Amino acid sequence: MPRPPLRPARPPRWRLASAGLALSLALGLALSLATGLRASTPLRPAPHPGLAQLPTQMLWAWERPEDLRGLPPNTGVAWLAASVRLRGQAADIRPRAQPLRVSPGTALLPVLHVDADPRDHPALSPAQREAIVATALRLVQGQPVHALQLDFEVRRSQRPFLAEVVRALRARLPAEVALSMTALASWCAGDAWMDGLPADEIVPMAFRMDRDDTALRALLARDGHFPRPDCRQAAGTATDEPPVIGLQAPRHYHFAPQPWTRDQWTALLNTPSPPAAR
């Protein structure tokens, strides 16, 4: 799963300074126009049809042997299908090496995990972007899948490259295949850098939130969802952290740091979501 960067992004603190009557009037007019535009324009297009084929509960199956046979009908598996590590000018591609066992008919969502070598900083070149996109396309080519998930660990300086990858991948994916992407929780709380990205689903990870944990948990307990509209279709949580009180989303992804067991997923999927605080 994406790890928080060394210095996780925090919601910006805006400060408004007076710059004269003319500037104030200009800003007021611009804000009025923007407000009117937002009021008359939908926040986002209708959900991609491929997402409707995914269950409301998804278990992440990472790079380890996993036996997920016998899951309930409303539960699917987002499985790590391949990994790409960027280093220098290279892009090292590693297909999944561990067995995954599921029952026939289980909804499967292939996941492509991408990270950057912390010692051999990647060039983030067009060739590396093409390697990521080509690997992702191979995961869906000729396969009966409705969606693909991109799980990309990036630092702040690498965000433009991630945006390039998302745009290139969405442009080349078959139209019937939805593009899902994971996101740090802080990106969905007040950071606007993802605005306009053509991902069909953004999955904020409400775990491993580092120094933002207390503030984000309080926000979710109060509102039930992340502030950014694009981050309200789905959410991810982890089995080894306390439940996120009040978090509501049409689709939940569940991460376990150890291989899943039947007792674990049975208890998890049978536990009602905690209500939002009043």
Side-chain angles (χ1 to χ4, degrees):
M1 303 305 302
R3 298 182 297 272
L6 294 178
R7 295 177 181 174
R10 298 180 68 85
R13 291 174 291 182
W14 299 99
R15 294 183 301 172
L16 184 62
S18 175
L21 180 59
L23 180 57
S24 297
L25 290 173
L27 287 174
L29 177 59
L31 288 172
S32 297
L33 291 173
T35 301
L37 180 61
R38 287 196 299 269
S40 61
T41 304
L43 291 175
R44 61 177 293 115
H48 190 288
L51 296 174
Q53 304 300 316
L54 296 179
T56 58
Q57 302 291 333
M58 301 289 294
L59 303 185
W60 269 311
W62 227 233
E63 182 63 282
R64 62 201 179 200
E66 290 282 17
D67 187 347
L68 294 171
R69 291 173 290 184
L71 289 174
N74 68 331
T75 307
V77 177
W79 63 291
L80 180 67
S83 300
V84 177
R85 166 153 282 208
L86 305 177
R87 57 180 183 82
Q89 296 289 341
D92 299 329
I93 302 169
R94 303 186 302 276
R96 183 184 182 90
Q98 301 295 336
L100 171 67
R101 297 180 174 86
V102 296
S103 300
T106 300
L108 297 175
L109 171 64
V111 180
L112 175 61
H113 175 73
V114 184
D115 67 356
D117 192 308
R119 295 175 298 276
D120 189 0
H121 299 295
L124 305 181
S125 66
Q128 290 175 320
R129 182 184 66 225
E130 174 60 25
I132 296 170
V133 173
T135 302
L137 294 176
R138 285 195 293 271
L139 297 180
V140 303
Q141 187 174 17
Q143 301 299 319
V145 298
H146 301 285
L148 168 77
Q149 188 169 89
L150 177 66
D151 179 54
F152 198 156
E153 298 182 25
V154 294
R155 299 189 182 196
R156 178 180 290 271
S157 62
Q158 298 165 344
R159 291 177 181 178
F161 182 73
L162 171 55
E164 291 176 5
V165 170
V166 172
R167 293 188 184 99
L169 182 53
R170 179 62 274 175
R172 293 170 58 184
L173 272 176
E176 66 274 15
V177 177
L179 175 58
S180 172
M181 66 173 284
T182 60
L184 294 179
S186 60
W187 297 352
C188 291
D191 198 328
W193 80 269
M194 290 188 297
D195 282 1
L197 283 186
D200 301 300
E201 177 185 71
I202 295 176
V203 185
M205 296 174 296
F207 61 99
R208 311 294 191 265
M209 294 185 287
D210 198 59
R211 63 183 183 181
D212 293 323
D213 187 271
T214 300
L216 288 174
R217 284 177 178 271
L219 181 151
L220 293 170
R222 184 190 69 223
D223 298 340
H225 54 70
F226 286 91
R228 305 208 65 78
D230 285 357
C231 296
R232 298 177 186 176
Q233 293 177 286
T237 55
T239 60
D240 61 337
E241 292 192 5
V244 182
I245 303 299
L247 178 59
Q248 303 294 324
R251 181 172 299 104
H252 283 265
Y253 290 82
H254 305 278
F255 174 74
Q258 302 297 329
W260 288 97
T261 66
R262 181 179 293 270
D263 288 344
Q264 185 184 44
W265 86 58
T266 298
L268 174 70
L269 299 174
N270 288 336
T271 301
S273 299
R278 297 296 182 184

